[in-house]
């Protein structure tokens, strides 16, 4: 109340906002967000905060908390949800993590309440999620393909489509999805790693080795890519010609040495001795070395 009294001369000149202030005062006793809103409103009325500054005050974490509070209170404040989404969360949706699909649903309902049918296209992703939960994978793939014809730069959708194809063992189409992702972001080591794993599954060990190597170049600490490089090199050393065998044995030996160093770095000496995987790597490397020398 002292805060309101300090700004009373300015507030009095804006008498038309009395009902808003009164409502905020009533809500303050039960809602901390309303208290914060009241303080911000009074400072705005007094001229301390300009409209531009007021619009820039809210960050993505506060925006996320606003939507959480609305969900927890089971409110249907569609205009607030749509505004928070468009002004803050839409461009920061990757930060929402597992909460993203819940927010999609909340925004979709709010958009319908506000007759913002241009935002209801989030609804298509929700349909894919429902079909996937019902184990209707072919239908989910068709729906997601339809969505990507309109929104070809939605990389999250390409990733989901790749996983759906992999669940159906359609490796060729899954590889195509990853190719789209690599073209969009060639510096993401996980895309190269996933493409290499698909190629390895298809039996294209040379292509797999190349992309595992690229993933390691982008991220030398990628243990999964190191294993992939080792296994694809071992496979090539067992099947390729004599000159290529020696080269692939060297690649496999290098990858094996890198793996050993990684284990020694993060484990004690005793734990390293008990790690059977290192023993398996040594045996496999010894086997392909003998085959290459014969």
């Amino acid at each position: 109340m002292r805060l309101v009294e300090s700004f009373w001369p300015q507030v009095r000149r804006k008498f038309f906002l009395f009902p808003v202030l009164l409502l905020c005062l009533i809500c303050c006793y039960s809602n901390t967000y309303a208290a914060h809103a009241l303080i911000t409103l009074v400072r705005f009325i007094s001229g301390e905060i300009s409209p531009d500054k007021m619009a820039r005050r809210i960050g993505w974490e506060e925006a996320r908390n606003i939507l959480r509070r609305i969900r927890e209170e089971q409110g249907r404040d569609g205009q607030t949800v749509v505004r928070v989404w468009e002004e803050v969360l839409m461009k920061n949706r990757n930060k929402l993590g597992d909460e993203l699909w819940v927010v999609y649903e909340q925004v979709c309902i709010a958009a319908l309440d506000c007759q913002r049918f241009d935002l209801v296209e989030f609804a298509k992703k929700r349909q894919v999620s429902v079909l996937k939960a019902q184990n209707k994978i072919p239908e989910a793939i068709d729906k997601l393909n339809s969505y990507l014809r309109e929104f070809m730069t939605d990389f999250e959708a390409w990733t989901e489509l790749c996983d759906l194809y992999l669940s159906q063992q359609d490796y060729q189409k899954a590889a195509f999805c990853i190719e789209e992702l690599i073209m969009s972001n060639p510096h993401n080591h996980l895309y190269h790693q996933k493409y290499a794993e698909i190629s390895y599954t298809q039996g294209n060990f040379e292509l797999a080795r190349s992309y595992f190597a690229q993933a390691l170049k982008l991220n030398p600490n990628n243990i999964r890519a190191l294993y992939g490089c080792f296994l694809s090199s071992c496979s090539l050393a067992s099947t390729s010609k004599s000159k290529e065998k020696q080269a692939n044995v060297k690649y496999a030996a290098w990858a094996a040495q890198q793996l050993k160093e990684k284990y020694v770095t993060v484990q004690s000496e005793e734990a390293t001795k008990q790690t059977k995987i290192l023993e398996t790597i040594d045996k496999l490397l010894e086997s392909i070395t003998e085959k290459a020398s014969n």
Side-chain angles (χ1 to χ4, degrees):
M1 293 301 295
R2 291 180 180 178
L3 182 62
V4 176
E5 292 174 359
S6 64
F7 291 112
W8 183 254
Q10 294 89 343
V11 173
R12 185 173 56 187
R13 289 195 291 269
K14 295 179 173 55
F15 61 89
F16 58 90
L17 288 174
F18 280 177
V20 178
L21 288 172
L22 182 60
L23 180 61
C24 289
L25 281 170
I26 294 172
C27 296
C28 281
Y29 293 101
S30 60
N31 193 322
T32 56
Y33 177 72
H36 176 73
L38 172 62
I39 295 172
T40 304
L41 178 61
V42 173
R43 295 178 67 190
F44 172 68
I45 293 172
S46 67
E48 184 179 343
I49 302 178
S50 66
D52 292 338
K53 287 184 178 179
M54 191 172 180
R56 289 195 299 267
R57 287 181 64 82
I58 186 171
W60 82 268
E61 290 186 2
E62 186 175 355
R64 180 193 61 188
N65 292 336
I66 291 172
L67 296 193
R68 280 181 179 176
R69 184 177 295 276
I70 292 174
R71 293 198 302 271
E72 290 171 358
E73 296 176 355
Q74 297 183 355
R76 289 290 289 266
D77 191 351
Q79 291 183 349
T80 299
V81 172
V82 168
R83 183 177 177 184
V84 168
W85 171 257
E86 288 189 311
E87 294 182 1
V88 183
L89 290 179
M90 181 183 289
K91 57 189 175 185
N92 295 295
R93 58 181 179 269
N94 292 333
K95 296 180 180 180
L96 292 171
D98 296 335
E99 198 174 353
L100 178 61
W101 289 98
V102 178
V103 172
Y104 275 150
E105 182 177 9
Q106 186 178 10
V107 173
C108 177
I109 295 172
L112 290 172
D113 289 342
C114 299
Q115 296 186 352
R116 286 291 308 276
F117 301 114
D118 57 311
L119 287 179
V120 180
E121 295 293 342
F122 296 123
K124 290 185 178 179
K125 283 189 174 182
R126 183 61 183 169
Q127 290 174 2
V128 173
S129 180
V130 170
L131 289 170
K132 183 179 178 182
Q134 294 175 345
N135 202 29
K136 297 179 180 179
I137 305 302
E139 291 86 347
I141 289 174
D142 291 339
K143 185 67 68 174
L144 197 50
N145 272 313
S146 175
Y147 172 83
L148 283 168
R149 291 189 192 100
E150 300 179 39
F151 305 96
M152 292 181 288
T153 58
D154 191 335
F155 308 126
E156 181 188 70
W158 282 110
T159 304
E160 180 66 23
L161 184 59
C162 175
D163 291 338
L164 290 175
Y165 279 132
L166 288 175
S167 69
Q168 299 298 294
Q169 299 181 358
D170 194 340
Y171 300 115
Q172 185 175 357
K173 291 180 180 178
F176 174 79
C177 295
I178 296 297
E179 287 170 358
E180 291 290 326
L181 291 170
I182 290 174
M183 286 191 293
S184 69
N185 187 1
H187 301 292
N188 189 324
H189 68 99
L190 295 176
Y191 293 160
H192 293 274
Q193 171 196 308
K194 196 161 190 174
Y195 189 77
E197 290 172 349
I198 294 172
S199 299
Y200 187 92
T201 305
Q202 291 177 302
N204 193 340
F205 302 125
E206 188 170 356
L207 185 63
R209 189 196 63 193
S210 299
Y211 275 88
F212 278 130
Q214 181 63 21
L216 285 170
K217 182 179 179 180
L218 295 171
N219 181 12
N221 294 320
N222 189 331
I223 303 298
R224 194 180 181 102
L226 267 175
Y227 274 113
C229 187
F230 174 74
L231 293 174
S232 55
S233 297
C234 288
S235 298
L236 286 169
S238 302
T239 58
S240 57
K241 298 178 181 179
S242 57
K243 292 182 179 180
E244 296 175 351
K245 279 185 179 181
Q246 295 298 330
N248 282 293
V249 168
K250 291 182 180 179
Y251 296 145
W254 175 84
Q257 182 60 33
Q258 294 295 314
L259 286 169
K260 290 178 183 178
E261 291 178 2
K262 299 293 183 185
Y263 274 103
V264 170
T265 302
V266 299
Q267 290 183 345
S268 64
E269 184 177 354
E270 183 64 25
T272 303
K273 290 180 180 179
Q274 296 177 359
T275 305
K276 298 296 183 181
I277 187 66
L278 295 182
E279 182 180 346
T280 303
I281 290 173
D282 287 335
K283 289 181 178 179
L284 183 57
L285 184 60
E286 182 180 352
S287 174
I288 63 169
T289 302
E290 291 178 358
K291 290 181 180 180
S293 60
N294 294 333

